[in-house]
Amino acid sequence: MSLIIRDLHARVKDGADILNGINLEIPKGEVHAIMGPNGSGKSTLSKVLCGHPAYEITAGSVEMDGQNLLAMSVDERSRAGLFLAFQYPVEVPGVTNANFLRAALEARLPKGEEINVVDFYKQLRGRMKSLGMDTKFTSRAVNEGFSGGEKKRNDVLQMMMLDPTYAILDETDSGLDVDALRIVSDGVNAMRAPFRSFMVITHYKRLLDYIRPDVVHVLYKGRLVRTGGFELVDYIEEHGFDFVRNEEE
Amino acid sequence: MDFPDSGNDMKLAMEKVEAQTRLATAPTPDRLNENWRFGRPHKHAAALVELLADTAGTPSCGTVTIEDASGCTDKIDKEDADSELLMSTIGSDRILGLHLQRFGKGAALFIEGQLTEPITITYETDSLFTPTTLIIAAPGARARIIERHITRGEGCMVCARIVQAAEGAELSIELEETGSGTSRAMNIINISAVQAKVRHLSRHSNHAWAREETIAEILHSEGEADIRLYSANRLSGDQVLDQHTRQIHTAGRSASDLLYKNVVEDNATAIFAGNIYVEAGAHDTDAYQSNRNMLLSEKATIHSLPGLEILADRVRCSHGSASAPMDEEQLFYLLSRGIPLHEALQLVAEGFLTDAVDRFHSTADND
C-alpha cells in the first residue's frame, strides 16, 4: 500500500506548465523529503495532490492505496486519508478551531453519528498541550490573528486530530523558531508509524535533522531529478542547488 | 386654541404641528426618492402603504409577549404616541404617518438601575401588525433588551422603535427579525444618546422583503457618548433587505461605529445606504461605518452606498464597503480537512457573519 505518482503533469489553469512528469512512490511507513530551489514546483505538487482548483492536471495519474486520487473531490481525498499542512495556512474568520475540527471529524463518521464531545475536548486539549499551544485557541477563529508559528502549529494540531495515512508537510519549518521547530517535529515523529507516510517539503536541513527522512528527492523544474539518502541533504546544505542547475541545464 | 405656558412647551407644540403636517402630506415612497432608489418600492413599499391605508382604523393584528423580571415594562399608552410623532425617518414619513394612525400596541420600557436579567419582547403576527417599542433609560441605567419579531404566512410587521439613553446609561439591544419566506417587515428605529452607550444588533432572516431605517443620534453634551450599530444577515431566494442608517453627531468628543454584514445568495438583493453626519462644532468626533457583503451567487445583487457629511473640521471619520465572493482559499482549506462542500460553505458564510455578532457581544460585555 502506497502513494504512487506516475508521470504527473500539471499547470496553473490557463497558465504555465509547472509539473513536468513526476514519478514517485511513497510506501506506507516511510518519510520522503522533497527539496528543491524556489519555483521548482514543490508547493504545486502538494496542492495538486490535494485537488486545489487553481491547477489543472494535463497528464499522469496518482494512486493512493489503490484508489484513483485524482478522481476524488478535495474533501473525499482528505477523508480517504490525505492531509496537507499548508505553507501558508489560511485564516477563517468566525469559525472556531473547535467547531472546525469537530466538523472535520464528524465528516469522517457514518451519517447520523456524532462525536463524543467530552472525549473530543479531552483529546484536543491533550494534543494542544503536546504542541505547546494555549488551550484558549480552541475558541479562537481558525488561524485568525495567529503568528506564523502559531498557524504552523495549528496545522500540525489538525494533522494529529485527523490522523491521516498520508501527510504532506509543506515548509512547515518556515516561521518556526528553534524551540517551536523541535516541539512540532517531536509531534510529527510521534505520529510516525508503519501505517502512515509523510512527504516533507523543505528548503533546509534543520527540519530534516529532526524529522529524519528515509528517502530524499530533489525537484527541479517540475521533475524529480535526484533521489538518495540523507547524504543528499548534507550535500545540498553544503553546495546549494547549483549542482542540479549545472547538470540539468 | 390653547397656548402652552412655557417657551419649551410652545416649541414642542410647534414641532408636533410640523410633524403632523409632514407625516400627513408625505408621498408614497417611489424610485424618485433617493432613499428608495434600490428597494423595489413599486412592488413592496406601494403595497405596504396601500395595506396600511386600507386598514386604517382597524385594530393592529398581533400579539405582544414580555418577559421582564424587573418590572420596568408598561403598556404603551396614548401619550407615548407623541414620541412616535416626533420620530425621523429615512424616506418613510408616509409609512410612519400611517403607522401612527394605528398606534396602540407595543411595549414601553422605563429603565432605572442596573438590570441583571435581559428583558425580552416578542411581537408575533400572521396579519398586519404595527407595534411600537419605547425604551427610555434613566441616568446610569444598564440593561439588555432582546426584541423578537415573528411574522408568519403572508404577514407584515411594521415596527417603530424609539430608544433614549440618558447620561451614563448603557443599553444593549438585539433585534431578531424572523419571517416566513413570503412575509414583509419594516423597522423604523430612532436612537438618541446623551453621554450614554448604546449597542444595537439587528438580524433579519427569511422575509421576502425587509426594510430597516436606523437613525442614531448623539445629542447635546460632550464626551463619552458611544453608539455602535451591528447587523448580520443571510439572504437567499428572491429576498430583499434594504437597510438605511444615519449616524448623527451633534456633540463633539463622541463615538459611533457601524458594521453591517450580509451573505447574499441565489437572486437575493441587499441594499445598504449609510451616512455619517457631523455637525459644525462637533469636534473630536470618532465615527466609522463599514458594510461588508459576501456573494454566493452570480445573480445575487448588492447596492452599497456608504457616505460621510462632515461639517466640523477636527474629526476622525471613515467609511468603507467591500462586496466579494467567498474566498476560495478559505473554502479549499475547509475542504482539504474533509469537510463536505455544503457544510464548508455554511461554516465560512456563518463565520463571516459571526464577526459582527461577536463584536456586538464583546463590546456589550466589555461595558
Side-chain angles (χ1 to χ4, degrees):
Chain A
M1 301 294 262
S2 52
L3 182 73
I4 304 169
I5 304 170
R6 292 192 188 95
D7 193 30
L8 186 64
H9 289 69
R11 64 183 177 200
V12 178
K13 271 186 183 160
D14 303 322
D17 293 333
I18 299 180
L19 303 183
N20 297 304
I22 302 257
N23 287 288
L24 173 65
E25 178 171 359
I26 305 179
K28 284 267 177 70
E30 291 190 2
V31 175
H32 286 228
I34 308 280
M35 302 184 79
N38 290 327
S40 58
K42 301 186 298 296
S43 289
T44 298
L45 173 61
S46 67
K47 287 184 178 175
V48 163
L49 291 175
C50 289
H52 195 288
Y55 300 96
E56 184 178 17
I57 291 161
T58 51
S61 66
V62 182
E63 208 175 274
M64 190 169 83
D65 293 342
Q67 298 180 84
N68 179 359
L69 189 75
L70 303 183
M72 297 182 196
S73 62
V74 178
D75 52 313
E76 283 170 347
R77 296 179 199 203
S78 169
R79 294 195 298 273
L82 186 66
F83 182 89
L84 169 62
F86 286 78
Q87 184 178 2
Y88 303 108
V90 175
E91 296 187 4
V92 190
V95 180
T96 65
N97 267 317
N99 284 345
F100 175 75
L101 278 166
R102 275 181 66 173
L105 286 167
E106 280 181 350
R108 286 159 167 77
L109 297 176
K111 205 172 179 180
E113 277 189 33
E114 290 182 0
I115 58 170
N116 181 310
V117 177
V118 176
D119 290 347
F120 166 74
Y121 277 102
K122 194 176 169 187
Q123 189 189 13
L124 180 59
R125 291 201 177 97
R127 302 284 195 202
M128 292 178 93
K129 209 172 169 185
S130 74
L131 288 169
M133 292 175 74
D134 190 329
T135 51
K136 285 180 185 165
F137 278 54
T138 53
S139 56
R140 283 182 58 180
V142 176
N143 296 328
E144 194 178 36
F146 288 22
S147 70
E150 286 167 344
K151 286 178 181 174
K152 295 298 180 76
R153 285 190 207 212
N154 204 32
D155 257 26
V156 173
L157 171 71
Q158 291 165 21
M159 180 174 73
M160 288 173 151
M161 293 294 290
L162 299 179
D163 198 22
T165 43
Y166 294 94
I168 304 168
L169 308 180
D170 188 3
E171 295 194 29
T172 296
D173 50 333
S174 67
L176 292 181
D177 61 33
V178 180
D179 296 325
L181 180 65
R182 183 179 45 76
I183 291 168
V184 166
S185 301
D186 286 348
V188 172
N189 284 330
M191 288 183 70
R192 290 179 78 155
F195 54 84
R196 189 174 0 250
S197 306
F198 290 88
M199 179 193 288
V200 180
I201 295 170
T202 184
H203 285 286
Y204 304 109
K205 181 172 179 280
R206 60 176 194 164
L207 178 66
L208 302 177
D209 283 335
Y210 286 110
I211 305 170
R212 197 85 175 174
D214 300 295
V215 185
V216 179
H217 308 274
V218 178
L219 186 65
Y220 183 69
K221 289 193 173 179
R223 288 188 305 117
L224 294 176
V225 295
R226 289 287 179 282
T227 294
F230 200 80
E231 72 285 351
L232 194 50
V233 178
D234 288 328
Y235 190 84
I236 290 167
E237 185 73 4
E238 193 174 338
H239 301 285
F241 291 106
D242 280 348
F243 77 100
V244 177
R245 290 190 187 95
N246 293 337
E247 289 175 18
E248 294 296 320
E249 292 298 330
Chain B
M1 183 177 176
D2 294 329
F3 285 97
D5 296 333
S6 69
N8 279 341
D9 285 349
M10 171 74 91
K11 191 178 168 214
L12 184 62
M14 287 176 71
E15 281 178 3
K16 283 182 186 174
V17 171
E18 276 175 27
Q20 275 162 344
T21 308
R22 172 174 64 90
L23 298 180
T25 57
T28 298
D30 62 36
R31 276 183 176 160
L32 296 177
N33 181 334
E34 179 62 23
N35 294 310
W36 284 86
R37 211 165 124 198
F38 300 108
R40 298 185 197 170
H42 58 289
K43 185 177 175 187
H44 298 291
L48 180 59
V49 167
E50 195 179 324
L51 186 62
L52 286 164
D54 286 351
T55 56
T58 60
S60 190
C61 298
T63 59
V64 180
T65 311
I66 295 163
E67 295 166 48
D68 176 13
S70 68
C72 292
T73 312
D74 267 338
K75 282 186 178 170
I76 285 274
D77 66 30
K78 281 188 178 175
E79 284 185 13
D80 295 327
D82 280 354
S83 300
E84 188 171 319
L85 176 66
L86 296 173
M87 286 180 79
S88 300
T89 75
I90 307 176
S92 297
D93 282 355
R94 174 80 173 137
I95 292 166
L96 181 64
L98 290 165
H99 187 278
L100 187 61
Q101 287 177 14
R102 302 168 63 94
F103 190 89
K105 276 193 176 179
L109 280 61
F110 301 98
I111 301 162
E112 291 182 314
Q114 302 196 349
L115 308 188
T116 50
E117 296 297 319
I119 298 171
T120 304
I121 303 162
T122 306
Y123 298 141
E124 289 183 73
T125 188
D126 56 5
S127 182
L128 173 62
F129 192 29
T130 55
T132 300
T133 306
L134 179 60
I135 301 169
I136 297 176
R142 187 170 178 166
R144 181 176 168 220
I145 297 132
I146 301 164
E147 188 170 315
R148 295 195 177 103
H149 296 180
I150 301 164
T151 312
R152 300 190 176 86
E154 305 280 324
C156 185
M157 181 86 71
V158 184
C159 181
R161 184 179 311 108
I162 302 120
V163 179
Q164 295 174 355
E167 294 89 340
E170 292 181 13
L171 292 177
S172 161
I173 303 165
E174 294 174 61
L175 168 64
E176 294 173 13
E177 183 69 71
T178 309
S180 62
T182 52
S183 53
R184 290 179 173 140
M186 170 127 192
N187 281 278
I188 299 171
I189 304 161
N190 280 195
I191 300 168
S192 55
V194 180
Q195 290 187 348
K197 293 180 179 176
V198 180
R199 315 277 174 261
H200 191 279
L201 168 70
S202 67
R203 301 207 68 174
H204 295 257
S205 66
N206 216 24
H207 280 296
W209 176 83
R211 181 172 166 105
E212 186 181 88
E213 297 179 10
T214 306
I215 299 171
E217 189 168 10
I218 290 172
L219 292 168
H220 308 311
S221 53
E222 292 199 347
E224 299 301 318
D226 186 351
I227 298 180
R228 294 180 184 230
L229 306 174
Y230 301 101
S231 189
N233 312 290
R234 190 141 184 199
L235 309 174
S236 60
D238 290 316
Q239 291 170 9
V240 177
L241 175 62
D242 189 8
Q243 292 178 297
H244 297 251
T245 66
R246 280 196 187 145
Q247 296 156 257
I248 301 172
H249 290 257
T250 59
R253 287 174 45 222
S254 57
S256 69
D257 188 17
L258 178 150
L259 176 62
Y260 277 29
K261 297 187 99 171
N262 298 303
V263 173
V264 188
E265 54 192 312
D266 303 331
N267 292 305
T269 302
I271 301 139
F272 171 80
N275 181 259
I276 295 174
Y277 176 78
V278 183
E279 264 194 9
H283 295 301
D284 299 317
T285 289
D286 189 346
Y288 190 65
Q289 178 191 84
S290 177
N291 176 226
R292 298 276 182 269
N293 300 290
M294 179 184 283
L295 291 106
L296 297 184
S297 145
E298 288 188 2
K299 290 182 178 173
T301 305
I302 302 288
H303 300 284
S304 182
L305 300 101
L308 298 173
E309 194 176 346
I310 299 168
L311 305 181
D313 55 9
R314 198 176 65 237
V315 300
R316 189 167 66 180
C317 295
S318 59
H319 63 322
S321 171
S323 300
M326 184 178 284
D327 185 323
E328 284 192 3
E329 293 298 328
Q330 286 181 11
L331 185 61
F332 178 70
Y333 194 73
L334 270 72
L335 293 171
S336 77
R337 301 308 184 232
I339 300 171
L341 179 62
H342 177 73
E343 203 177 339
L345 286 168
Q346 299 298 322
L347 276 171
V348 175
E350 287 303 318
F352 177 77
L353 297 176
T354 297
D355 174 35
V357 179
D358 284 351
R359 278 176 61 175
F360 166 79
H361 287 298
S362 65
T363 51
D365 291 347
N366 288 340
D367 294 336

